[in-house]
């Protein structure tokens, strides 16, 4: 995994949904935690995996009286940038970045609870579950809210990923645009080759708008084409814009590929079941989380340690 999460958290977001969820999680993604959080008490030690800028920690603080705040260790592989307000809420919370849940720096049986929202599924589950089995107390509980492959979060992003990968392919729009620019720089407008390339590019754009306009627009390629043709007199600026788009496209493909791989497919769920059975983690419940419109949001997993 690259450094895109560090860059993201540096911007100060609280949740992983940017401006779409600017405050904290609401609705089903909040409700799904309330039952668990109200069971916490002041002696409990809670481990939050893939905490980001501490959205779940903040939900815990909002849910409980100060006297009932548990000790929380909130870890993340990336560099995080937790808002001072969240940090100030409790001296019983430690945020530890650069920490991979496949190699947790905690003693055996340290925690009464392990929680994770859209975090643990990014790790190699055979390794992270083994670590969780190690650090969880006997009778300790886990709750994970993970990406579901058919959720309203993952599905549109997978469509954007496909459109983005296609742009870079040998017959893709970005390749065509670059070829067209080379031809225009060499022979000017109106050459047979540039006309052919222009026609191909227009066809490509039309086809993709028809196929999935929302995903195609989200790649920003239509905007790129418009900007490039508005700057026909400034070759240097055009090249700068092209280079920046190329970099952003590569970053987006990497991020969305990670998301798509993280989502709990049937195979990944089977891996979890097999690992849990080997590690003495009893599966209490696996269920689908829906939003108010009955659309899939996530998969929720509850485990208890029998070891
Ligand atoms: C989608 S964000 C979720 C953040 C937060 N839990 C939330 O709900 O807003 C996923 C986070 O998991 C972290 N992550 C990915 N792989 C990890 C690993 N192996 N160990 C710990 N954290 C990891 C990423 O760095 C990122 O901050």
């Amino acid at each position: 995994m690259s450094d895109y999460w560090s860059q993201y958290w540096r911007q100060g977001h609280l949740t992983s949904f940017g401006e779409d969820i600017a405050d904290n999680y609401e609705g089903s993604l909040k409700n799904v935690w309330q039952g668990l959080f109200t069971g916490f008490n002041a002696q409990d030690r809670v481990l939050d995996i893939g905490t980001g800028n501490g959205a779940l920690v903040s939900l815990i603080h909002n849910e409980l009286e100060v006297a009932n705040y548990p000790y929380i260790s909130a870890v993340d592989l990336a560099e995080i940038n937790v808002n001072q307000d969240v940090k100030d809420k409790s001296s019983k919370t430690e945020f530890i970045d650069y920490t991979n849940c496949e190699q947790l720096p905690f003693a055996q049986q340290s925690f009464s609870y392990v929680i994770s929202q859209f975090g643990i599924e990014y790790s190699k589950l055979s390794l992270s579950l083994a670590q969780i089995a190690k650090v969880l107390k006997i009778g300790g509980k886990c709750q994970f809210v993970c990406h579901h492959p058919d959720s309203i979060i993952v599905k549109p992003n997978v469509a954007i990923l496909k459109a983005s990968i296609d742009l870079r392919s040998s017959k893709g729009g970005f390749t065509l645009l670059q070829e067209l620019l080379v031809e225009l720089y060499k022979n000017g407008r109106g050459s047979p080759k540039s006309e052919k390339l222009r026609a191909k590019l227009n066809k490509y754009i039309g086809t993709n708008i028809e196929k999935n306009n929302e995903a195609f627009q989200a790649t920003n390629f239509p905007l790129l084409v418009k900007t490039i043709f508005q700057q026909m007199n400034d070759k240097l600026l055009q090249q700068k814009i092209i280079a920046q788009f190329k970099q952003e496209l590569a970053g987006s493909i990497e991020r969305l590929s990670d998301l798509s791989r993280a989502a709990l497919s049937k195979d990944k769920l089977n891996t979890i079941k097999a690992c849990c059975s080997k590690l003495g983690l009893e599966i209490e419940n696996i269920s689908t989380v829906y939003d108010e419109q009955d659309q899939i949001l996530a998969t929720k997993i509850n485990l208890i340690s029998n070891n």
Side-chain angles (χ1 to χ4, degrees):
M1 183 171 300
S2 84
D3 215 21
Y4 58 77
W5 281 116
S6 303
Q7 286 173 30
Y8 178 81
W9 298 124
R10 219 170 280 145
Q11 292 163 32
H13 301 288
L14 177 58
T15 75
S16 54
F17 294 87
E19 294 309 316
D20 290 345
I21 307 185
D23 294 326
N24 211 330
Y25 295 102
E26 286 290 341
S28 309
L29 284 178
K30 180 179 171 187
N31 300 343
V32 89
W33 289 105
Q34 276 172 320
L36 188 81
F37 292 171
T38 47
F40 290 171
N41 66 53
Q43 281 72 49
D44 283 327
R45 276 198 71 191
V46 178
L47 171 64
D48 178 20
I49 288 176
T51 190
N53 277 349
L56 284 188
V57 172
S58 178
L59 280 184
I60 294 172
H61 290 160
N62 292 342
E63 199 57 42
L64 298 175
E65 299 288 330
V66 178
N68 292 331
Y69 284 176
Y71 292 93
I72 307 174
S73 299
V75 302
D76 201 288
L77 184 57
E79 181 186 329
I80 54 177
N81 173 27
V82 181
N83 188 304
Q84 200 57 42
D85 287 352
V86 178
K87 282 187 185 163
D88 286 349
K89 270 276 177 78
S90 169
S91 57
K92 290 171 76 181
T93 298
E94 56 174 359
F95 286 97
I96 318 173
D97 43 14
Y98 303 114
T99 301
N100 193 337
C101 61
E102 297 166 11
Q103 240 183 329
L104 289 170
F106 303 108
Q108 290 201 340
Q109 302 198 4
S110 316
F111 294 97
S112 7
Y113 294 91
V114 178
I115 58 174
S116 180
Q117 177 154 272
F118 305 133
I120 188 167
E121 64 270 45
Y122 286 91
S123 67
K124 192 164 173 20
L125 290 163
S126 56
L127 300 178
S128 49
L129 286 169
Q131 289 288 296
I132 288 166
K134 183 191 91 175
V135 302
L136 200 57
K137 291 182 178 169
I138 299 167
K141 294 186 171 189
C142 302
Q143 179 164 301
F144 308 138
V145 171
C146 300
H147 284 301
H148 185 301
D150 296 325
S151 74
I152 52 164
I153 302 160
V154 174
K155 264 176 109 172
N157 278 306
V158 169
I160 298 168
L161 173 62
K162 282 185 183 152
S164 304
I165 290 172
D166 194 69
L167 280 174
R168 282 202 312 199
S169 71
S170 61
K171 289 183 180 150
F174 188 53
T175 314
L176 287 172
L177 176 65
Q178 286 172 292
E179 284 171 10
L180 174 59
L181 284 178
V182 170
E183 178 58 22
L184 289 174
Y185 294 155
K186 206 165 131 197
N187 294 320
R189 282 168 189 244
S191 77
K193 191 172 174 189
S194 73
E195 286 310 302
K196 207 171 151 191
L197 284 166
R198 191 187 289 275
K200 270 191 184 174
L201 182 60
N202 285 338
K203 190 170 170 207
Y204 181 90
I205 293 173
T207 308
N208 277 279
I209 286 176
E210 243 174 66
K211 209 160 60 176
N212 187 342
N213 188 30
E214 214 173 311
F216 190 54
Q217 298 296 335
T219 65
N220 282 333
F221 183 68
L223 184 63
L224 171 78
V225 175
K226 192 172 159 204
T227 314
I228 287 294
F229 286 110
Q230 279 168 351
Q231 301 296 338
M232 270 327 278
N233 296 326
D234 194 338
K235 190 173 156 184
L236 218 63
L237 181 61
Q238 278 183 329
Q239 286 310 304
K240 219 171 129 184
I241 296 169
I242 289 278
Q244 191 182 339
F245 181 83
K246 191 174 175 181
Q247 198 184 4
E248 283 169 7
L249 186 65
S252 164
I253 288 174
E254 190 180 5
R255 183 175 61 81
L256 297 177
S257 301
D258 278 347
L259 170 66
S260 155
R261 273 192 299 271
L264 293 187
S265 60
K266 285 208 172 79
D267 278 357
K268 282 188 92 167
L269 275 175
N270 286 336
T271 303
I272 292 177
K273 287 176 190 167
C275 290
C276 285
S277 132
K278 210 169 77 186
L279 295 162
L281 293 169
E282 184 191 324
I283 297 178
E284 224 191 355
N285 182 258
I286 298 182
S287 58
T288 304
V289 182
Y290 295 90
D291 69 4
E292 289 79 2
Q293 284 79 44
D294 251 1
Q295 305 175 101
I296 298 176
L297 282 175
T299 299
K300 178 169 82 70
I301 300 178
N302 291 87
L303 309 173
I304 300 185
S305 171
N306 284 330
N307 268 335

